[in-house]
Amino acid sequence: MFVLSQQKVKSLAGAIMLALAACAANAQDYTLVIKGGHVIDAKNNINEVMDVGIKDDKIVRVAKSIDAKGAQVVDAKGLYVTPGLIDIHSHNFYGTEEDHYLSNGYTAVAPDEFTFRSGVTTVADAGGAGWKSFNKFKEQTINHSDTRVFSFLNIVGEGMRGGAWEQNLSDMDAKATATVVKAHKEIVGIKVAHYMGAEWEPVDRAVQAGTSANVPVMIDFGGNTPPLSIEDLFMKHLRPGDIFTHCFAQLSSREAIVDDQGKLKAFIVAAQQRGIIFDVGHGGGSFRFSQAIPALKAGFIPNTISTDLHTGSMNAGMKDQLNIMSKFLNMGMTVQQVMAASTWHPAKAIKHEELGNLSPGAVADVAVFSLKKGKFGFIDSGGFRMDGDQKLETELTLRAGKVMWDLNGISRPSWK
Ligand SMILES: [Zn+2]
C-alpha cells in the first residue's frame, strides 16, 4: 500500500493548488488577441508587426507573439493596428430645437453615428457649449455616448449659438468659464471662435481662463475685421500648448500660414518650436491644398489631425477623420506620422496621456486599418481635387475592449 506522509500530502496539495491557479491565470490572461498586425504606437515607439493582448477593457501586453489560448482572436495580418483615434475638433452639441448651433445652417452630429466607422474612439466637441450650457451637453450627449466625449468650453457663456451671441464680449467671462472647467473632468480646454471684432479680448480672456484652470485654449480665427496678426497670436497672446485649429485655411478674413508666393512664413516654424499646436480642423471651409502642400514641402507637418465634423463638412471634402489622414498620406506624411497626429499627439494636446497609446494597463481603445492602393481623389474646401494612390479604411474599432465596428467580420468566427 502506498502511503503518503502528512508532509507529502501537504506539499502535493500545494502543488495541485498552484497548478490550478496557473491554469486559471492562463485561461484568463486575455479575452481578445489581435494577431500579426503592424502596430503603430507613437508613445511607446512601436512600429512593427506585433500581437496585442487585451483582457476585458484593458491592454495587457504588446509582444512579438502572444499565446491567445482560449481568447477571441482577430487576424490582423496585412493591417495596421493603432490606439483608437482621437479627434479634438468635432461638433456634437445640438443645444435646443429653437437654437441654431453652428452657423450657415449646419448642425452638430451624434458622436456614435460617425466615430467608430472611422476608427475614432474619443472626440472633443469644440466650443458647442459654454459655461451656461455645459450641463445640457453633458446630459444630452456625454452621458449617452459610447464614444468618449470631451469638451472645449466656449469662452462665450452661451456657447456656439451663432450671430450676435458670439459677438457679445460681455458674455466672455474668464472667471465663470474657469470655474466650470475646473468642476468637470470632461472639459479639456477652452474654445475661441467666430469673433468678428478687431479686439484681442476673446483670446486673452480664454487664455486667462485656461491659465486659471490649467487647460489649453483652441483658437478658430477666421472672422476678425481687419484680420489680426497670427504672428502676434502665436508669439504674444498664446501659451505653449495652446492650439491653432484650421491651420491650413485660406480665407480673406484670416492670415494664412503660407504666403501668396507659396512660401511657408518663417515665424510658423518658430511658433511650432515655441509649442503652439497646429491642428488641422478641416471642416467645410478651412482646409486648402494650396496651403497644405507647400507647407508640407517646406518640412512643416501639423501636430494634430482633426475633422471639425458637422453636417456641412462630412458631406463635402472633409468626409471623416480617415479621409483627412489619407490626404496627408498622399501629400507625403508617413503612416506613422498620420497615426501619431491622430492618437498620441492629440492625447498630449488635451492632457490625457492615459489615452492614445497601447501601454499595458491602458484602456483597450484600438483601431485596425487597411491601406488600399488604387486611384483615389480628394477634395479641399476650395472645391479643388488632388489625386492620390492610397487610402485608409477602418476594419475594426474597439472601445474599451468591445467591438464597435467590424467591416469585414475579422473578429467573428466563420458561419461554417
Ligand atoms: Zn469647428
Side-chain angles (χ1 to χ4, degrees):
M1 199 178 160
F2 183 69
V3 179
L4 286 172
S5 72
Q6 208 175 14
Q7 187 63 33
K8 272 186 179 157
V9 169
K10 264 192 185 158
S11 69
L12 189 61
I16 290 167
M17 291 298 284
L18 276 175
L20 282 173
C23 269
N26 271 337
Q28 293 171 2
D29 273 353
Y30 310 105
T31 46
L32 193 153
V33 176
I34 302 172
K35 286 198 78 76
H38 182 138
V39 175
I40 300 178
D41 176 356
K43 181 193 176 185
N44 294 305
N45 254 314
I46 299 173
N47 180 28
E48 59 183 310
V49 172
M50 298 283 247
D51 292 351
V52 177
I54 293 162
K55 183 174 178 189
D56 302 323
D57 61 344
K58 296 277 192 314
I59 304 288
V60 178
R61 197 166 154 236
V62 177
K64 268 283 157 206
S65 179
I66 290 177
D67 184 352
K69 217 182 289 176
Q72 183 183 6
V73 174
V74 170
D75 178 3
K77 238 173 256 127
L79 304 174
Y80 287 103
V81 180
T82 76
L85 307 184
I86 301 173
D87 177 4
I88 61 169
H89 188 156
S90 182
H91 288 286
N92 308 106
F93 181 46
Y94 314 111
T96 56
E97 277 175 37
E98 65 272 19
D99 288 337
H100 295 284
Y101 280 74
L102 310 182
S103 42
N104 305 323
Y106 300 141
T107 57
V109 298
D112 296 352
E113 294 173 11
F114 300 95
T115 48
F116 301 124
R117 57 185 52 234
S118 303
V120 174
T121 50
T122 298
V123 295
D125 175 273
W131 67 269
K132 297 174 186 168
S133 48
F134 178 75
N135 279 337
K136 184 182 278 178
F137 179 45
K138 188 166 155 60
E139 284 160 25
Q140 271 182 353
T141 303
I142 296 177
N143 292 350
H144 300 285
S145 299
D146 287 324
T147 308
R148 179 184 298 96
V149 181
F150 290 133
S151 161
F152 278 86
L153 204 64
N154 206 310
I155 188 62
V156 179
E158 293 281 348
M160 201 170 278
R161 294 184 74 173
W165 295 106
E166 294 179 77
Q167 309 306 318
N168 182 6
L169 279 177
S170 68
D171 193 28
M172 301 184 197
D173 183 334
K175 216 169 155 193
T177 302
T179 302
V180 172
V181 173
K182 284 187 246 186
H184 297 278
K185 62 183 186 334
E186 298 92 346
I187 304 177
V188 295
I190 295 157
K191 179 83 186 288
V192 175
H194 306 162
Y195 185 67
M196 287 157 78
E199 301 87 357
W200 284 99
E201 264 91 346
V203 172
D204 294 342
R205 287 186 201 171
V207 168
Q208 197 187 328
T211 302
S212 162
N214 190 29
V215 293
V217 166
M218 179 187 277
I219 306 291
D220 164 358
F221 252 22
N224 301 94
T225 319
L228 297 171
S229 156
I230 56 171
E231 184 169 11
D232 283 352
L233 175 70
F234 301 149
M235 299 308 189
K236 294 182 186 160
H237 293 270
L238 296 184
R239 307 157 296 166
D242 286 335
I243 302 162
F244 182 62
T245 193
H246 305 316
C247 68
F248 297 114
Q250 187 175 311
L251 305 159
S252 58
S253 58
R254 200 205 80 189
E255 192 189 345
I257 67 168
V258 167
D259 69 18
D260 294 341
Q261 280 70 50
K263 203 167 166 290
L264 182 72
K265 294 176 183 172
F267 67 82
I268 300 300
V269 177
Q272 197 175 35
Q273 279 165 355
R274 186 178 173 243
I276 303 298
I277 307 290
F278 287 82
D279 176 54
V280 173
H282 189 302
S286 305
F287 175 86
R288 294 286 283 264
F289 290 127
S290 54
Q291 286 287 310
I293 291 174
L296 263 69
K297 280 210 176 104
F300 172 88
I301 62 166
N303 297 77
T304 54
I305 295 175
S306 67
T307 59
D308 190 7
L309 175 70
H310 53 70
T311 54
S313 63
M314 55 170 282
N315 293 314
M318 190 283 285
K319 296 185 174 63
D320 61 21
Q321 177 85 12
L322 270 199
N323 191 56
I324 307 172
M325 291 161 73
S326 298
K327 285 181 185 179
F328 280 98
L329 275 181
N330 285 289
M331 286 188 278
M333 277 172 75
T334 63
V335 179
Q336 289 73 34
Q337 285 173 327
V338 300
M339 293 303 175
S342 303
T343 56
W344 179 233
H345 296 168
K348 283 194 296 184
I350 58 171
K351 301 188 183 197
H352 274 269
E353 299 195 6
E354 77 282 13
L355 302 176
N357 66 80
L358 301 174
S359 302
V363 65
D365 290 356
V366 183
V368 179
F369 302 106
S370 60
L371 183 59
K372 305 286 183 207
K373 305 282 178 166
K375 199 168 170 279
F376 305 108
F378 302 92
I379 307 167
D380 75 4
S381 306
F384 300 105
R385 188 186 78 244
M386 177 191 75
D387 295 322
D389 59 9
Q390 43 186 344
K391 194 172 193 178
L392 289 159
E393 191 166 75
T394 310
E395 285 289 340
L396 185 78
T397 306
L398 304 181
R399 169 78 180 91
K402 200 169 146 216
V403 175
M404 305 304 286
W405 173 258
D406 185 352
L407 186 65
N408 288 297
I410 57 172
S411 74
R412 311 308 314 160
S414 166
W415 68 273
K416 291 180 206 162

